[in-house]
């Protein structure tokens, strides 16, 4: 888990996110996901080093369950080399083996991640809107 936290802080401290999250904040986020009873997470290693992480959970769906990716990140030095696409393909294979036939996620349209997901077969639903309320 500590490696996942380190990688998160390294990746998201760079463009375009420029996050300044404390280690405690990232640790709380990842541990909260991990303790969710529907948690599903994946790591991709290059030798012994974690170079990519996917964190999410299984969400009920009318046709069973779908994998909701909340955090998906690849080592900054490894981005643009096909590693994220490879990792996503491996995740899809594992989910299919488990009878899960859908992945959903949210990302900002202006971030490079949007084009990455589109390139990897995800659809953007223009008639859908993400809503939220803070209080």
């Amino acid at each position: 888990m500590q490696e996942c936290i380190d990688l998160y802080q390294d990746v998201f401290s760079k463009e375009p996110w420029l996050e300044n999250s404390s280690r405690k904040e990232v640790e709380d986020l990842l541990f909260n996901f991990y303790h969710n009873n529907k948690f599903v997470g994946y790591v991709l290693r290059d030798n012994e080093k974690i170079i990519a992480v996917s964190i999410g959970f299984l969400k009920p769906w009318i046709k069973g369950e779908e994998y909701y990716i909340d955090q998906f990140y690849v080592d900054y030095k490894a981005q643009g080399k096909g590693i994220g696409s490879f990792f996503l393909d491996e995740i899809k294979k594992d989910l299919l083996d488990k009878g899960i036939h859908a992945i959903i996620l949210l990302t900002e349209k202006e971030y490079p991640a949007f084009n990455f997901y589109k390139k990897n077969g995800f659809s953007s639903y223009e008639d859908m809107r993400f809503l939220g309320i803070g209080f």
Side-chain angles (χ1 to χ4, degrees):
M1 187 65 83
Q2 297 306 313
E3 264 189 274
C4 294
I5 294 166
D6 292 342
L7 185 58
Y8 180 101
Q9 286 193 289
D10 183 58
V11 170
F12 289 107
S13 68
K14 294 177 175 49
E15 291 280 347
W17 304 278
L18 299 174
E19 274 189 25
N20 190 20
S21 302
S22 72
R23 183 166 191 83
K24 174 82 167 102
E25 289 171 323
V26 177
E27 187 174 283
D28 288 349
L29 173 71
L30 299 189
F31 274 100
N32 282 335
F33 271 106
Y34 181 74
H35 292 295
N36 178 328
N37 68 334
K38 291 293 193 166
F39 169 78
V40 176
Y42 296 92
V43 297
L44 180 66
R45 293 181 181 274
D46 181 16
N47 294 316
E48 292 301 309
K49 183 180 181 223
I50 294 175
I51 60 169
V53 176
S54 179
I55 294 173
F57 56 89
L58 297 180
K59 179 185 159 308
W61 181 36
I62 194 70
K63 297 187 186 220
E65 293 180 308
E66 53 196 0
Y67 179 44
Y68 181 94
I69 296 176
D70 189 78
Q71 301 293 325
F72 185 94
Y73 50 101
V74 175
D75 187 324
Y76 196 76
K77 295 177 281 295
Q79 291 177 16
K81 298 178 181 176
I83 291 168
S85 295
F86 169 79
F87 186 37
L88 196 52
D89 285 342
E90 293 299 304
I91 291 170
K92 289 177 194 174
K93 289 178 196 171
D94 185 64
L95 291 171
L96 281 171
D97 286 347
K98 294 175 178 168
I100 298 160
H101 300 275
I103 299 175
I104 60 172
L105 57 86
L106 295 171
T107 192
E108 293 192 37
K109 206 172 186 179
E110 301 304 316
Y111 284 176
F114 180 78
N115 290 325
F116 165 78
Y117 291 118
K118 295 280 287 184
K119 177 183 86 171
N120 282 283
F122 284 74
S123 298
S124 174
Y125 299 98
E126 298 301 324
D127 58 331
M128 301 286 284
R129 295 292 180 263
F130 176 73
L131 303 175
I133 186 171
F135 50 93

